[in-house]
Amino acid sequence: MEKRLVTKNKLQINERANKGTLTPYMERDRIFRVINDVGFEEADFLEDYTHHLTDHQFRNFANRYTGERKSPTNVLLFAALGFLAVGGIHRFYLGQYGLGLLYLLTGGLFGAGTIIDIILHKRVARKYNIRKANEVLDRLDY
């Protein structure tokens, strides 16, 4: 009986692959293989956004998204640099020029805003990357 279940699951996976949809494991593997420096949280939302794409469409998406995404590590480094030198560098890096200017003029909101951004750097980068993933999907040629 156990052999039948294994065979049935393999058939379901093959049927899904033939229809162009991937199982969650296959989708996550595809994301990690094609897009470098992706964390698990980023892979989760990318999995939700790209599960319907064919391999060709996904590669096209990945090429565009990789060029526009921002690494949480870089956001952390720029925020720390902003805390030590000039506040707001990480906000300029993320394209948030208004907040960058505010941080620059107020010394990172008197240091408090920069400290908060250092603590929440992954969330700040994830919000940016989600917005960029949506923009890339909107521009993607199906």
Side-chain angles (χ1 to χ4, degrees), residues 54-70:
T54 64
D55 283 339
H56 175 73
Q57 291 169 335
F58 180 77
R59 282 192 299 272
N60 194 5
F61 167 82
N63 287 335
R64 293 178 185 184
Y65 176 72
T66 301
E68 296 189 21
R69 72 178 285 275
K70 303 296 184 192

Side-chain angles (χ1 to χ4, degrees), residues 102-122:
L102 180 65
Y103 274 53
L104 181 67
L105 296 175
T106 61
L109 296 176
F110 307 106
T114 303
I115 292 171
I116 291 170
D117 285 347
I118 288 172
I119 294 168
L120 301 177
H121 71 280
K122 287 184 180 181

Side-chain angles (χ1 to χ4, degrees), residues 13-90:
I13 290 171
N14 287 336
E15 287 174 10
R16 287 181 182 167
N18 290 337
K19 289 181 183 176
T21 60
L22 301 172
T23 63
Y25 173 77
M26 294 166 62
E27 181 67 29
R28 176 81 46 103
D29 183 54
R30 180 169 80 161
I31 290 167
F32 284 122
R33 276 187 291 116
V34 176
I35 303 174
N36 295 328
D37 191 33
V38 174
F40 290 110
E41 292 175 354
E42 188 174 359
D44 283 342
F45 78 77
L46 288 174
E47 186 177 342
D48 291 340
Y49 284 40
T50 62
H51 70 276
H52 65 284
L53 300 177
T54 64
D55 283 339
H56 175 73
Q57 291 169 335
F58 180 77
R59 282 192 299 272
N60 194 5
F61 167 82
N63 287 335
R64 293 178 185 184
Y65 176 72
T66 301
E68 296 189 21
R69 72 178 285 275
K70 303 296 184 192
S71 168
T73 305
N74 289 345
V75 174
L76 175 63
L77 291 173
F78 285 128
L81 182 64
F83 186 70
L84 298 174
V86 179
I89 296 172
H90 62 293

